[in-house]
């Protein structure tokens, strides 16, 4: 293994996902390999009427967020709670840190679509005077990071990358660059999405992206299966605390893992379809490996984007088989979690950190064996014990966004 480049420490994790409230609950459920898809009353009557929801209802979220929850959309509430868990896990205290040296970088793809629908109905039914004066701030992809920076009193750079389903991974790559450049000392970074709505579900259905297994919703998301037919719409938040390694060690924190390399490219090909064979995504993977000082054969594990769509899974499987022919273990959390869109890259990076830390690779839900044409080592049926020292986490988004993160054991 080559000497790694400028790594940063992952010192804290925070998760709110359909699999559970918090890191431990999510990790246990993902290890169990059971889908969280269920009928969604909001989507009743639509061609696809199921999704993967975060367990806490709106009233419980409001209670936990506190007195300012009235002004927040669901994206901000999920982001604030996940950020709180990550900061606590890192052993940091916003009451005592230098907020000017803390960055917040939280990616989001669509923003709070359900609030947009609600405010539009209010305008049409009741007139301009009843439109919320905070309607526009709550609708933007930056709403989550805005409220997190206020909540944590973090006055450093505050950014909301929006690179479709790669947004969370892009945020982590940007945060790493901020730390390496010296622009901040701590970065609270990740992704959030709470865009389950009638408009969103119908739009993805019309696009042909959603699974149509309305008669077997728990088995709908099946990454890399021969009969995969689309993803399950989901919501969630994943936040990581990043620091320079020497800073974390100096204050007595033990990094969970190191973010050692990041690669980002664009297919420049099509608004929704991936480039066949994933040759431009390959450049992102090789860049991440190069920054981390790794060769392809150094990689022990791949946390795949694995959307359960025919085109994405075929392109990604070809990429893995071509660049990593030694067959590292492959998992794909969307079988359990559904597709959390802009949050997915950060949630999956957090799960990759947990795989490195615990030496356990979760199985891909609903997968007995990968499609015959895929020459990759998918973990199926049950978790696999494995000493994972190096891993990559793939994130690919509509518009041709490709982001790969290389993570290594500390």
């Amino acid at each position: 293994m080559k000497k790694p480049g400028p790594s940063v420490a992952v010192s804290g994790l925070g998760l709110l996902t359909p699999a559970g409230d918090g890191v431990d609950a999510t990790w246990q459920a993902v290890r169990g390999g059971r889908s969280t898809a269920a009928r969604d009353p909001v989507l009743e009557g639509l061609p696809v009427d199921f999704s993967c929801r975060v367990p806490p209802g709106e009233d419980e979220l409001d209670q936990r967020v506190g007195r300012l929850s009235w002004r927040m959309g669901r994206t901000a509430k999920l982001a604030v709670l996940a950020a709180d868990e990550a900061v606590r896990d890192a052993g940091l205290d916003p009451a005592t840190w230098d907020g000017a040296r803390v960055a917040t970088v939280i990616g989001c793809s669509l923003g709070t679509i359900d609030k947009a629908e609600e405010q539009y109905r209010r305008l049409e039914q009741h007139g301009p005077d009843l439109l919320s004066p905070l309607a526009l701030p709550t609708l933007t992809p930056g709403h989550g990071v805005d409220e997190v920076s206020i909540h944590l009193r973090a006055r450093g750079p505050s950014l909301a990358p929006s690179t479709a389903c790669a947004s969370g991974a892009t945020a982590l790559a940007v945060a790493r660059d901020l730390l390496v450049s010296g622009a901040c000392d701590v970065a609270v970074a990740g992704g959030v999405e709470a865009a389950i709505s009638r408009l969103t579900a119908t739009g993805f259905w019309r696009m042909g992206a959603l699974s149509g297994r309305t008669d077997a919703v728990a088995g709908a998301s099946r990454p890399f299966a021969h009969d995969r037919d689309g993803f399950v719409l989901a919501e969630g938040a994943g936040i990581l605390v990043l620091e320079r390694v020497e800073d974390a060690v100096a204050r007595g924190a033990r990094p969970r893992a190191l973010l050692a390399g990041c690669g980002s490219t664009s297919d420049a090909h099509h608004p929704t379809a991936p480039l066949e064979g994933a040759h431009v995504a390959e450049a992102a993977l090789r860049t991440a490996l190069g920054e981390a000082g790794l060769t392809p054969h150094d990689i022990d594990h791949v946390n795949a984007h694995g959307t359960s769509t025919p085109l994405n899974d075929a392109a990604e499987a070809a990429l893995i088989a071509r660049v990593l022919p030694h067959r590292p273990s492959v998992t794909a959390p969307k079988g359990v979690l559904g597709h959390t869109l802009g949050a997915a890259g950060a949630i999956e990076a957090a799960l990759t950190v947990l795989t490195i830390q615990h030496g356990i690779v979760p199985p891909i839900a609903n997968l007995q064996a990968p499609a015959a044409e895929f020459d990759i080592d998918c973990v199926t049926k049950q978790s696999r014990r494995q000493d994972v020292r190096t891993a990559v986490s793939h994130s690919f988004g509509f518009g041709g966004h490709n982001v790969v993160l290389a993570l290594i054991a500390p």
Side-chain angles (χ1 to χ4, degrees):
M1 187 184 301
K2 299 177 183 177
K3 183 179 179 181
S7 301
V8 298
V10 179
S11 56
L13 299 178
L15 292 172
L16 263 175
T17 75
D21 182 357
V23 170
D24 291 342
T26 294
W27 176 240
Q28 292 304 318
V30 170
R31 282 183 55 187
R34 292 181 296 277
S35 170
T36 59
R39 302 285 178 192
D40 190 330
V42 169
L43 307 181
E44 184 177 358
L46 296 180
V48 176
D49 61 357
F50 57 95
S51 70
C52 296
R53 290 272 190 181
V54 169
E58 209 66 30
D59 290 344
E60 182 180 344
L61 287 178
D62 288 344
Q63 185 177 30
R64 290 172 57 188
V65 170
R67 64 182 181 84
L68 294 180
S69 64
W70 64 270
R71 73 183 187 195
M72 298 184 193
R74 192 168 174 85
T75 50
K77 295 172 190 176
L78 296 181
V80 164
L81 292 176
D84 270 346
E85 183 183 25
V87 170
R88 287 196 307 271
D89 183 49
L92 293 167
D93 183 357
T96 60
W97 66 20
D98 179 1
R101 299 294 300 166
V102 179
T104 47
V105 189
I106 300 176
C108 182
S109 177
L110 294 176
T112 313
I113 299 293
D114 62 331
K115 285 292 183 184
E117 294 178 357
E118 173 194 297
Q119 291 299 314
Y120 179 76
R121 287 193 298 268
R122 184 177 293 187
L123 174 62
E124 290 298 296
Q125 294 170 11
H126 304 291
D129 289 343
L130 287 185
L131 187 75
S132 170
L134 293 177
L136 294 182
T138 61
L139 305 184
T140 68
H143 178 47
V145 76
D146 295 344
E147 291 290 356
V148 167
S149 64
I150 293 168
H151 178 71
L152 296 179
R153 289 177 279 184
R155 302 188 303 278
S158 181
L159 305 169
S162 187
T163 53
C165 301
S167 298
T170 298
L172 294 171
V174 170
R176 174 178 172 268
D177 289 346
L178 291 173
L179 285 162
V180 170
S181 72
C184 64
D185 296 327
V186 175
V188 179
V192 66
E193 200 80 73
I196 300 174
S197 75
R198 297 180 70 81
L199 176 62
T200 309
T202 304
F204 279 125
W205 172 74
R206 287 285 291 150
M207 198 183 294
L210 294 186
S211 171
R213 282 190 169 83
T214 55
D215 58 342
V217 300
S221 182
R222 46 184 61 213
F224 300 111
H226 71 95
D227 57 350
R228 66 199 183 277
D229 71 330
F231 65 76
V232 177
L233 189 59
E235 63 180 2
I239 303 294
L240 289 72
V241 173
L242 305 179
E243 304 174 70
R244 287 182 289 273
V245 176
E246 59 271 24
D247 293 345
V249 171
R251 67 178 184 84
R254 189 179 189 282
R256 286 179 175 262
L258 305 181
L259 177 54
C262 308
S264 180
T265 61
S266 176
D267 286 348
H269 167 64
H270 190 273
T272 59
L275 189 64
E276 186 175 357
H279 292 285
V280 179
E282 177 180 336
L285 172 55
R286 292 191 182 278
T287 297
L289 295 177
E291 284 195 356
L294 301 171
T295 71
H297 284 273
D298 292 325
I299 298 303
D300 299 320
H301 171 65
V302 178
N303 190 302
H305 188 60
T307 57
S308 185
T309 56
L311 293 180
N312 176 87
D313 287 9
E316 186 171 18
L319 168 66
I320 296 169
R322 184 174 64 249
V323 182
L324 307 172
H326 58 291
R327 294 172 57 85
S329 62
V330 176
T331 194
K334 292 180 181 69
V336 172
L337 303 175
H339 195 345
T340 56
L341 308 179
I347 291 171
E348 290 161 12
L351 294 172
T352 307
V353 169
L354 293 168
T355 286
I356 291 171
Q357 186 174 4
H358 297 295
I360 297 173
V361 179
I364 301 174
N366 301 317
L367 182 66
Q368 297 301 308
E373 65 271 24
F374 297 163
D375 185 18
I376 58 176
D377 181 19
C378 291
V379 178
T380 64
K381 303 174 186 176
Q382 61 184 14
S383 295
R384 179 188 298 178
R385 291 276 179 184
Q386 181 187 351
D387 181 19
V388 176
R389 306 294 298 171
T390 59
V392 289
S393 181
H394 294 169
S395 295
F396 308 128
F398 285 163
H401 300 285
N402 307 305
V403 181
V404 177
L405 307 176
L407 294 134
I408 63 177

